[in-house]
Amino acid sequence: MTVLIFSFNLFTLPSISQTLPKCKQQEEIFTFQVPNYAVQHQGGAIVNMKLAYRFTTEAIDQKDYPNLVPLKKDIDNFLINYPNETEYWEILNKNLVQFLLDKYPQMSSLMIEMSVMPTLDEPFFRSSIVRSTRPEMCSLSL
């Protein structure tokens, strides 16, 4: 007769438990949409973008909210000057999210959904959703 003995040692890694923030019950999230946006990426396309971001506690406390008009201009400039027109939409979107998080420290978390309208070469709808949260910050809870 063979007897198998299994032993489990359960523990929480300090590095994991230390990175989980204690988020306040109240959060402030701002959303906006950019419909029917023409871009030259991948030979030209029309995209619909949905953006949502959560403010940091410091931004809320100091009433330091980003102005939508310059933020939209930053998105325009990013897309107009994007260096690699052949990259996948997912990479473009990921880079846009990182660009905005780098530029706007008031955002603790950002989500962009980029929906690409059908074209003659790709006659179907497709979307890329990228959500990113700064280390030790509270994520979006949409």
Side-chain angles (χ1 to χ4, degrees):
M1 175 175 179
T2 302
V3 177
L4 297 174
I5 300 174
F6 293 98
S7 174
F8 296 97
N9 189 2
L10 300 175
F11 63 94
T12 302
L13 295 173
S15 61
I16 292 174
S17 63
Q18 290 172 357
T19 60
L20 297 176
K22 293 182 181 175
C23 299
K24 291 184 177 181
Q25 290 294 78
Q26 179 181 350
E27 63 181 331
E28 290 190 32
I29 296 172
F30 185 77
T31 67
F32 68 97
Q33 296 184 27
V34 182
N36 302 316
Y37 189 84
V39 295
Q40 292 304 311
H41 196 71
Q42 292 192 3
I46 303 295
V47 298
N48 294 316
M49 288 187 282
K50 295 178 185 176
L51 292 87
Y53 50 89
R54 181 180 180 148
F55 294 108
T56 65
T57 303
E58 294 79 19
I60 295 167
D61 291 345
Q62 298 171 12
K63 297 180 175 82
D64 181 21
Y65 300 100
N67 185 319
L68 176 60
V69 174
L71 180 89
K72 171 63 171 63
K73 286 183 182 180
D74 286 333
I75 293 169
D76 292 340
N77 290 331
F78 180 88
L79 294 172
I80 289 168
N81 299 308
Y82 195 73
N84 188 346
E85 294 295 331
T86 61
E87 277 187 335
Y88 292 119
W89 291 101
E90 298 87 345
I91 295 170
L92 169 77
N93 194 9
K94 179 175 67 171
N95 290 337
L96 177 59
V97 166
Q98 189 58 56
F99 167 76
L100 293 175
L101 282 175
D102 289 345
K103 179 131 189 186
Y104 293 94
Q106 304 96 320
M107 297 176 186
S108 70
S109 185
L110 171 64
M111 186 271 308
I112 298 178
E113 179 177 351
M114 190 176 290
S115 300
V116 183
M117 304 298 284
T119 64
L120 291 175
D121 293 333
E122 295 183 10
F124 40 84
F125 291 94
R126 54 224 189 263
S127 291
S128 166
I129 301 172
V130 175
R131 182 183 292 207
S132 185
T133 301
R134 295 180 191 282
E136 301 182 20
M137 292 276 183
C138 297
S139 63
L140 288 167
S141 58
L142 297 176

